[in-house]
């Protein structure tokens, strides 16, 4: 096995291991979407901070907006989280794919709808 393939294999394993680690929801510390989503069940009702790329309906979350027609998505490489509410960092016009791939940090209270969809509701 050559060095590049071995390095890629080790990097892939390391990334998988990190995703399996427990998440500590500390005040003011942003957790990447891909790390946060598998651990959301333990954070329902909590105020959490998540970082990801904002998207409108063209993102990775399945279904329609769970709370309001203005709900949008915070996406990562693998996972997605619905967000309800507006933040100064994100304008609805900026949420379309191709306009910006800059990550944003969002803080809110995590809810779980009756349909089992997790939503981060921004509280001002």
């Amino acid at each position: 096995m050559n060095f590049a393939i071995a390095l890629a294999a080790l990097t892939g394993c390391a990334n998988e291991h990190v995703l399996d680690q427990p998440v500590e929801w500390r005040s003011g510390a942003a957790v990447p979407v891909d790390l946060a989503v598998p651990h959301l069940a333990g954070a329902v009702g909590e105020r959490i901070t998540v970082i990801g790329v904002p998207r409108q309906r063209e993102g990775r979350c399945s279904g329609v907006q769970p709370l309001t027609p203005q709900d949008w998505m915070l996406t990562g490489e693998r996972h997605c989280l619905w967000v309800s509410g507006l933040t100064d960092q994100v304008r609805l016009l900026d949420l379309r794919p191709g306009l910006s791939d800059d990550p944003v940090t969002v803080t809110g209270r995590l809810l779980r709808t009756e349909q089992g969809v997790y939503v981060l509701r921004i509280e001002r």
Side-chain angles (χ1 to χ4, degrees):
M1 180 185 300
N2 73 32
F3 179 75
I5 293 173
L7 183 60
L10 287 173
T11 304
C13 292
N15 287 340
E16 290 299 322
H17 183 67
V18 169
L19 293 177
D20 291 339
Q21 295 299 312
V23 170
E24 186 176 329
W25 304 102
R26 294 181 311 204
S27 178
V31 177
V33 170
D34 286 332
L35 183 58
V37 168
H39 302 281
L40 292 177
V44 173
E46 300 288 325
R47 186 169 170 81
I48 64 172
T49 302
V50 182
I51 186 169
V53 176
R55 290 289 180 250
Q56 254 179 335
R57 290 178 292 276
E58 296 84 5
R60 292 179 172 87
C61 293
S62 61
V64 297
Q65 294 99 327
L67 298 180
T68 73
Q70 289 79 33
D71 291 350
W72 49 282
M73 304 168 198
L74 205 55
T75 64
E77 292 289 322
R78 299 177 184 200
H79 296 288
C80 180
L81 176 63
W82 282 105
V83 178
S84 186
L86 298 176
T87 176
D88 294 337
Q89 289 183 299
V90 178
R91 296 178 329 146
L92 288 178
L93 293 176
D94 296 334
L95 297 174
R96 292 172 289 177
L99 289 183
S100 174
D101 287 330
D102 294 334
V104 298
T105 302
V106 179
T107 300
R109 187 152 319 274
L110 184 65
L111 308 174
R112 186 169 182 223
T113 68
E114 291 178 4
Q115 294 76 28
V117 178
Y118 293 104
V119 181
L120 187 61
R121 178 180 282 166
I122 295 174
E123 299 172 335
R124 292 193 177 246

Short mmCIF file of all heavy atoms in Angstrom, two decimals, residues 45-95:
data_model
loop_
_atom_site.label_atom_id
_atom_site.label_comp_id
_atom_site.label_asym_id
_atom_site.label_seq_id
_atom_site.Cartn_x
_atom_site.Cartn_y
_atom_site.Cartn_z
N GLY A 45 -34.83 20.35 24.33
CA GLY A 45 -35.18 21.29 25.38
C GLY A 45 -34.01 22.15 25.86
O GLY A 45 -34.21 23.11 26.58
N GLU A 46 -32.81 21.79 25.43
CA GLU A 46 -31.61 22.53 25.84
C GLU A 46 -31.31 23.68 24.88
O GLU A 46 -31.71 23.65 23.72
CB GLU A 46 -30.39 21.59 25.86
CG GLU A 46 -30.52 20.42 26.78
CD GLU A 46 -30.43 20.81 28.24
OE1 GLU A 46 -29.67 21.75 28.56
OE2 GLU A 46 -31.12 20.18 29.05
N ARG A 47 -30.59 24.65 25.37
CA ARG A 47 -30.09 25.74 24.52
C ARG A 47 -28.70 25.30 24.03
O ARG A 47 -27.81 25.05 24.84
CB ARG A 47 -30.00 27.02 25.32
CG ARG A 47 -29.63 28.24 24.53
CD ARG A 47 -29.84 29.48 25.40
NE ARG A 47 -29.29 30.65 24.78
CZ ARG A 47 -29.89 31.36 23.82
NH1 ARG A 47 -31.09 30.99 23.41
NH2 ARG A 47 -29.32 32.41 23.29
N ILE A 48 -28.56 25.17 22.71
CA ILE A 48 -27.31 24.68 22.12
C ILE A 48 -26.84 25.62 21.02
O ILE A 48 -27.61 26.43 20.51
CB ILE A 48 -27.46 23.24 21.56
CG1 ILE A 48 -28.46 23.20 20.40
CG2 ILE A 48 -27.86 22.27 22.67
CD1 ILE A 48 -28.52 21.86 19.68
N THR A 49 -25.56 25.48 20.66
CA THR A 49 -24.97 26.27 19.59
C THR A 49 -24.38 25.31 18.57
O THR A 49 -23.62 24.42 18.92
CB THR A 49 -23.88 27.20 20.13
OG1 THR A 49 -24.46 28.06 21.13
CG2 THR A 49 -23.27 28.06 19.03
N VAL A 50 -24.78 25.50 17.30
CA VAL A 50 -24.36 24.62 16.22
C VAL A 50 -23.79 25.47 15.08
O VAL A 50 -24.25 26.59 14.85
CB VAL A 50 -25.56 23.78 15.71
CG1 VAL A 50 -25.14 22.81 14.63
CG2 VAL A 50 -26.20 23.02 16.87
N ILE A 51 -22.81 24.92 14.37
CA ILE A 51 -22.21 25.62 13.24
C ILE A 51 -22.36 24.76 11.99
O ILE A 51 -22.21 23.54 12.03
CB ILE A 51 -20.73 25.98 13.51
CG1 ILE A 51 -20.18 26.85 12.38
CG2 ILE A 51 -19.89 24.74 13.74
CD1 ILE A 51 -18.82 27.46 12.70
N GLY A 52 -22.70 25.42 10.87
CA GLY A 52 -22.84 24.74 9.58
C GLY A 52 -23.10 25.76 8.49
O GLY A 52 -23.11 26.96 8.73
N VAL A 53 -23.34 25.26 7.29
CA VAL A 53 -23.60 26.11 6.14
C VAL A 53 -25.11 26.30 6.02
O VAL A 53 -25.86 25.33 5.98
CB VAL A 53 -23.03 25.49 4.85
CG1 VAL A 53 -23.38 26.34 3.64
CG2 VAL A 53 -21.52 25.32 4.97
N PRO A 54 -25.59 27.55 5.95
CA PRO A 54 -27.03 27.79 5.86
C PRO A 54 -27.55 27.54 4.45
O PRO A 54 -26.91 27.88 3.46
CB PRO A 54 -27.16 29.27 6.22
CG PRO A 54 -25.85 29.88 5.82
CD PRO A 54 -24.82 28.80 6.02
N ARG A 55 -28.74 26.93 4.38
CA ARG A 55 -29.40 26.66 3.10
C ARG A 55 -30.91 26.80 3.26
O ARG A 55 -31.45 26.60 4.34
CB ARG A 55 -29.10 25.23 2.61
CG ARG A 55 -27.68 25.03 2.17
CD ARG A 55 -27.40 25.77 0.87
NE ARG A 55 -26.05 25.59 0.43
CZ ARG A 55 -25.12 26.54 0.43
NH1 ARG A 55 -25.40 27.75 0.88
NH2 ARG A 55 -23.92 26.30 0.00
N GLN A 56 -31.56 27.09 2.14
CA GLN A 56 -33.02 27.11 2.12
C GLN A 56 -33.50 25.69 1.89
O GLN A 56 -32.86 24.74 2.29
CB GLN A 56 -33.53 28.03 1.01
CG GLN A 56 -34.07 29.32 1.53
CD GLN A 56 -34.53 30.22 0.38
OE1 GLN A 56 -34.08 30.13 -0.74
NE2 GLN A 56 -35.42 31.11 0.70
N ARG A 57 -34.59 25.52 1.21
CA ARG A 57 -35.17 24.21 0.95
C ARG A 57 -34.29 23.31 0.08
O ARG A 57 -34.53 22.13 -0.03
CB ARG A 57 -36.53 24.38 0.30
CG ARG A 57 -37.56 24.94 1.26
CD ARG A 57 -38.88 25.16 0.62
NE ARG A 57 -38.86 26.22 -0.37
CZ ARG A 57 -39.00 27.51 -0.09
NH1 ARG A 57 -39.15 27.89 1.14
NH2 ARG A 57 -38.98 28.40 -1.03
N GLU A 58 -33.25 23.85 -0.54
CA GLU A 58 -32.38 23.05 -1.41
C GLU A 58 -31.31 22.31 -0.63
O GLU A 58 -30.43 21.70 -1.21
CB GLU A 58 -31.71 23.95 -2.46
CG GLU A 58 -32.67 24.60 -3.43
CD GLU A 58 -33.27 25.90 -2.89
OE1 GLU A 58 -32.86 26.35 -1.77
OE2 GLU A 58 -34.15 26.45 -3.53
N GLY A 59 -31.38 22.32 0.68
CA GLY A 59 -30.37 21.67 1.52
C GLY A 59 -30.62 20.18 1.66
O GLY A 59 -31.40 19.57 0.93
N ARG A 60 -29.97 19.58 2.65
CA ARG A 60 -29.99 18.13 2.84
C ARG A 60 -31.12 17.62 3.72
O ARG A 60 -31.33 16.42 3.81
CB ARG A 60 -28.67 17.69 3.46
CG ARG A 60 -27.50 17.85 2.55
CD ARG A 60 -26.22 17.41 3.25
NE ARG A 60 -25.11 17.39 2.34
CZ ARG A 60 -24.35 18.42 2.06
NH1 ARG A 60 -24.60 19.58 2.62
NH2 ARG A 60 -23.35 18.31 1.22
N CYS A 61 -31.85 18.48 4.42
CA CYS A 61 -32.93 18.01 5.30
C CYS A 61 -34.11 17.54 4.47
O CYS A 61 -34.50 18.20 3.50
CB CYS A 61 -33.38 19.13 6.23
SG CYS A 61 -32.16 19.65 7.44
N SER A 62 -34.69 16.44 4.88
CA SER A 62 -35.83 15.91 4.12
C SER A 62 -37.12 16.56 4.59
O SER A 62 -37.21 17.10 5.69
CB SER A 62 -35.92 14.40 4.29
OG SER A 62 -36.10 14.08 5.65
N GLY A 63 -38.14 16.50 3.74
CA GLY A 63 -39.45 17.00 4.09
C GLY A 63 -39.59 18.50 3.91
O GLY A 63 -38.75 19.16 3.31
N VAL A 64 -40.70 19.02 4.43
CA VAL A 64 -40.99 20.45 4.34
C VAL A 64 -40.62 21.12 5.66
O VAL A 64 -40.38 20.45 6.66
CB VAL A 64 -42.48 20.70 4.01
CG1 VAL A 64 -42.83 20.12 2.66
CG2 VAL A 64 -43.37 20.12 5.09
N GLN A 65 -40.63 22.43 5.66
CA GLN A 65 -40.28 23.18 6.86
C GLN A 65 -41.18 22.71 8.01
O GLN A 65 -42.40 22.71 7.88
CB GLN A 65 -40.46 24.67 6.64
CG GLN A 65 -39.51 25.25 5.64
CD GLN A 65 -40.13 25.40 4.27
OE1 GLN A 65 -40.97 24.62 3.86
NE2 GLN A 65 -39.70 26.41 3.54
N PRO A 66 -40.59 22.30 9.12
CA PRO A 66 -41.37 21.68 10.19
C PRO A 66 -42.22 22.63 11.04
O PRO A 66 -43.26 22.23 11.53
CB PRO A 66 -40.32 21.00 11.06
CG PRO A 66 -39.03 21.63 10.70
CD PRO A 66 -39.15 22.19 9.33
N LEU A 67 -41.79 23.89 11.21
CA LEU A 67 -42.55 24.81 12.07
C LEU A 67 -43.19 25.96 11.31
O LEU A 67 -44.34 26.29 11.56
CB LEU A 67 -41.66 25.36 13.19
CG LEU A 67 -41.08 24.33 14.17
CD1 LEU A 67 -40.22 25.03 15.22
CD2 LEU A 67 -42.18 23.52 14.83
N THR A 68 -42.43 26.61 10.43
CA THR A 68 -42.96 27.75 9.67
C THR A 68 -42.44 27.66 8.24
O THR A 68 -41.43 27.00 7.97
CB THR A 68 -42.50 29.10 10.26
OG1 THR A 68 -41.12 29.31 9.95
CG2 THR A 68 -42.72 29.17 11.76
N PRO A 69 -43.10 28.36 7.29
CA PRO A 69 -42.62 28.36 5.91
C PRO A 69 -41.26 29.04 5.74
O PRO A 69 -40.62 28.90 4.71
CB PRO A 69 -43.70 29.15 5.16
CG PRO A 69 -44.90 29.07 6.01
CD PRO A 69 -44.40 28.98 7.43
N GLN A 70 -40.78 29.75 6.77
CA GLN A 70 -39.48 30.42 6.69
C GLN A 70 -38.35 29.59 7.30
O GLN A 70 -37.21 30.03 7.33
CB GLN A 70 -39.54 31.78 7.40
CG GLN A 70 -40.35 32.81 6.66
CD GLN A 70 -41.84 32.62 6.88
OE1 GLN A 70 -42.28 32.19 7.93
NE2 GLN A 70 -42.62 32.91 5.86
N ASP A 71 -38.64 28.39 7.80
CA ASP A 71 -37.59 27.55 8.36
C ASP A 71 -36.53 27.26 7.31
O ASP A 71 -36.84 27.17 6.12
CB ASP A 71 -38.16 26.23 8.88
CG ASP A 71 -39.03 26.42 10.11
OD1 ASP A 71 -39.05 27.52 10.68
OD2 ASP A 71 -39.69 25.44 10.49
N TRP A 72 -35.29 27.13 7.72
CA TRP A 72 -34.17 26.89 6.82
C TRP A 72 -33.27 25.82 7.42
O TRP A 72 -33.57 25.28 8.48
CB TRP A 72 -33.42 28.19 6.54
CG TRP A 72 -33.05 28.99 7.75
CD1 TRP A 72 -33.88 29.79 8.49
CD2 TRP A 72 -31.77 29.06 8.38
NE1 TRP A 72 -33.18 30.37 9.53
CE2 TRP A 72 -31.89 29.94 9.49
CE3 TRP A 72 -30.53 28.49 8.12
CZ2 TRP A 72 -30.83 30.24 10.33
CZ3 TRP A 72 -29.46 28.81 8.95
CH2 TRP A 72 -29.62 29.66 10.04
N MET A 73 -32.20 25.49 6.74
CA MET A 73 -31.35 24.37 7.14
C MET A 73 -29.94 24.81 7.45
O MET A 73 -29.40 25.69 6.80
CB MET A 73 -31.27 23.35 6.01
CG MET A 73 -32.59 22.84 5.54
SD MET A 73 -32.38 21.93 4.01
CE MET A 73 -34.07 21.95 3.42
N LEU A 74 -29.35 24.15 8.41
CA LEU A 74 -27.94 24.28 8.71
C LEU A 74 -27.33 22.94 8.30
O LEU A 74 -27.69 21.90 8.84
CB LEU A 74 -27.75 24.54 10.21
CG LEU A 74 -26.51 25.24 10.67
CD1 LEU A 74 -26.33 26.58 9.96
CD2 LEU A 74 -26.55 25.46 12.16
N THR A 75 -26.45 22.94 7.30
CA THR A 75 -25.97 21.69 6.73
C THR A 75 -24.48 21.48 6.98
O THR A 75 -23.73 22.42 7.16
CB THR A 75 -26.22 21.63 5.20
OG1 THR A 75 -25.46 22.65 4.57
CG2 THR A 75 -27.68 21.83 4.87
N GLY A 76 -24.10 20.22 6.97
CA GLY A 76 -22.71 19.80 7.06
C GLY A 76 -22.40 18.92 5.87
O GLY A 76 -23.13 18.92 4.88
N GLU A 77 -21.34 18.15 5.96
CA GLU A 77 -20.98 17.22 4.88
C GLU A 77 -21.96 16.06 4.79
O GLU A 77 -22.25 15.57 3.72
CB GLU A 77 -19.57 16.67 5.11
CG GLU A 77 -18.47 17.70 4.95
CD GLU A 77 -18.28 18.12 3.51
OE1 GLU A 77 -18.38 17.25 2.62
OE2 GLU A 77 -18.04 19.31 3.28
N ARG A 78 -22.46 15.60 5.95
CA ARG A 78 -23.32 14.41 6.00
C ARG A 78 -24.71 14.68 6.55
O ARG A 78 -25.64 13.98 6.22
CB ARG A 78 -22.69 13.34 6.89
CG ARG A 78 -21.38 12.86 6.42
CD ARG A 78 -20.83 11.87 7.40
NE ARG A 78 -19.50 11.47 6.99
CZ ARG A 78 -18.92 10.39 7.40
NH1 ARG A 78 -19.53 9.60 8.25
NH2 ARG A 78 -17.72 10.08 6.99
N HIS A 79 -24.83 15.64 7.47
CA HIS A 79 -26.08 15.83 8.20
C HIS A 79 -26.64 17.23 8.01
O HIS A 79 -25.97 18.12 7.49
CB HIS A 79 -25.87 15.56 9.68
CG HIS A 79 -25.50 14.15 9.99
ND1 HIS A 79 -26.39 13.11 9.89
CD2 HIS A 79 -24.33 13.60 10.37
CE1 HIS A 79 -25.79 11.98 10.21
NE2 HIS A 79 -24.52 12.25 10.51
N CYS A 80 -27.85 17.40 8.50
CA CYS A 80 -28.58 18.64 8.34
C CYS A 80 -29.49 18.83 9.55
O CYS A 80 -29.97 17.86 10.13
CB CYS A 80 -29.40 18.52 7.06
SG CYS A 80 -30.39 19.95 6.68
N LEU A 81 -29.70 20.09 9.92
CA LEU A 81 -30.59 20.41 11.04
C LEU A 81 -31.48 21.58 10.63
O LEU A 81 -30.99 22.59 10.11
CB LEU A 81 -29.75 20.80 12.27
CG LEU A 81 -30.51 21.27 13.50
CD1 LEU A 81 -31.42 20.17 14.05
CD2 LEU A 81 -29.53 21.74 14.57
N TRP A 82 -32.78 21.43 10.84
CA TRP A 82 -33.71 22.53 10.56
C TRP A 82 -33.51 23.63 11.59
O TRP A 82 -33.27 23.36 12.77
CB TRP A 82 -35.16 22.05 10.64
CG TRP A 82 -35.61 21.29 9.43
CD1 TRP A 82 -35.80 19.95 9.33
CD2 TRP A 82 -35.96 21.84 8.16
NE1 TRP A 82 -36.22 19.64 8.06
CE2 TRP A 82 -36.34 20.77 7.33
CE3 TRP A 82 -35.98 23.13 7.63
CZ2 TRP A 82 -36.75 20.96 6.01
CZ3 TRP A 82 -36.38 23.31 6.32
CH2 TRP A 82 -36.76 22.24 5.52
N VAL A 83 -33.64 24.88 11.13
CA VAL A 83 -33.55 26.05 12.01
C VAL A 83 -34.81 26.88 11.78
O VAL A 83 -35.23 27.11 10.65
CB VAL A 83 -32.30 26.90 11.68
CG1 VAL A 83 -32.25 28.13 12.57
CG2 VAL A 83 -31.04 26.07 11.84
N SER A 84 -35.42 27.34 12.87
CA SER A 84 -36.61 28.18 12.80
C SER A 84 -36.29 29.52 13.43
O SER A 84 -35.87 29.58 14.58
CB SER A 84 -37.78 27.51 13.53
OG SER A 84 -38.95 28.25 13.34
N GLY A 85 -36.46 30.57 12.65
CA GLY A 85 -36.17 31.92 13.13
C GLY A 85 -35.03 32.53 12.35
O GLY A 85 -34.37 31.87 11.56
N LEU A 86 -34.85 33.82 12.55
CA LEU A 86 -33.82 34.54 11.82
C LEU A 86 -32.68 34.94 12.75
O LEU A 86 -32.87 35.11 13.94
CB LEU A 86 -34.41 35.78 11.17
CG LEU A 86 -35.51 35.51 10.14
CD1 LEU A 86 -36.08 36.83 9.62
CD2 LEU A 86 -34.97 34.69 8.99
N THR A 87 -31.52 35.09 12.15
CA THR A 87 -30.33 35.54 12.87
C THR A 87 -29.68 36.63 12.05
O THR A 87 -29.84 36.68 10.83
CB THR A 87 -29.36 34.36 13.12
OG1 THR A 87 -28.19 34.87 13.73
CG2 THR A 87 -28.99 33.64 11.86
N ASP A 88 -28.93 37.50 12.69
CA ASP A 88 -28.27 38.59 11.98
C ASP A 88 -27.24 38.07 10.98
O ASP A 88 -26.92 38.75 10.02
CB ASP A 88 -27.60 39.54 12.98
CG ASP A 88 -28.61 40.26 13.85
OD1 ASP A 88 -29.78 40.39 13.43
OD2 ASP A 88 -28.23 40.70 14.95
N GLN A 89 -26.71 36.87 11.21
CA GLN A 89 -25.69 36.31 10.32
C GLN A 89 -26.26 35.82 8.99
O GLN A 89 -25.53 35.66 8.04
CB GLN A 89 -24.99 35.12 10.98
CG GLN A 89 -24.08 35.49 12.11
CD GLN A 89 -23.39 34.25 12.63
OE1 GLN A 89 -24.04 33.33 13.10
NE2 GLN A 89 -22.08 34.22 12.52
N VAL A 90 -27.55 35.54 8.95
CA VAL A 90 -28.14 34.89 7.77
C VAL A 90 -29.35 35.67 7.30
O VAL A 90 -30.28 35.91 8.06
CB VAL A 90 -28.56 33.44 8.11
CG1 VAL A 90 -29.21 32.79 6.92
CG2 VAL A 90 -27.36 32.64 8.57
N ARG A 91 -29.33 36.04 6.02
CA ARG A 91 -30.51 36.61 5.38
C ARG A 91 -31.10 35.53 4.50
O ARG A 91 -30.37 34.72 3.92
CB ARG A 91 -30.14 37.81 4.53
CG ARG A 91 -29.58 38.97 5.32
CD ARG A 91 -29.17 40.11 4.43
NE ARG A 91 -28.72 39.66 3.12
CZ ARG A 91 -28.90 40.33 1.99
NH1 ARG A 91 -29.50 41.47 1.99
NH2 ARG A 91 -28.47 39.85 0.84
N LEU A 92 -32.41 35.47 4.38
CA LEU A 92 -33.04 34.42 3.58
C LEU A 92 -32.53 34.39 2.15
O LEU A 92 -32.41 33.33 1.55
CB LEU A 92 -34.56 34.56 3.61
CG LEU A 92 -35.21 34.19 4.94
CD1 LEU A 92 -36.71 34.40 4.89
CD2 LEU A 92 -34.90 32.75 5.33
N LEU A 93 -32.18 35.55 1.60
CA LEU A 93 -31.68 35.56 0.22
C LEU A 93 -30.30 34.90 0.10
O LEU A 93 -29.91 34.46 -0.96
CB LEU A 93 -31.60 37.00 -0.30
CG LEU A 93 -32.93 37.71 -0.48
CD1 LEU A 93 -32.70 39.16 -0.90
CD2 LEU A 93 -33.79 36.99 -1.50
N ASP A 94 -29.56 34.83 1.20
CA ASP A 94 -28.22 34.24 1.18
C ASP A 94 -28.23 32.73 1.32
O ASP A 94 -27.18 32.10 1.29
CB ASP A 94 -27.38 34.81 2.33
CG ASP A 94 -27.14 36.29 2.19
OD1 ASP A 94 -27.17 36.78 1.05
OD2 ASP A 94 -26.93 36.95 3.21
N LEU A 95 -29.38 32.13 1.49
CA LEU A 95 -29.47 30.70 1.79
C LEU A 95 -29.44 29.80 0.56
O LEU A 95 -29.40 28.59 0.69
CB LEU A 95 -30.74 30.41 2.60
CG LEU A 95 -30.80 31.09 3.97
CD1 LEU A 95 -32.16 30.84 4.60
CD2 LEU A 95 -29.71 30.61 4.87
#
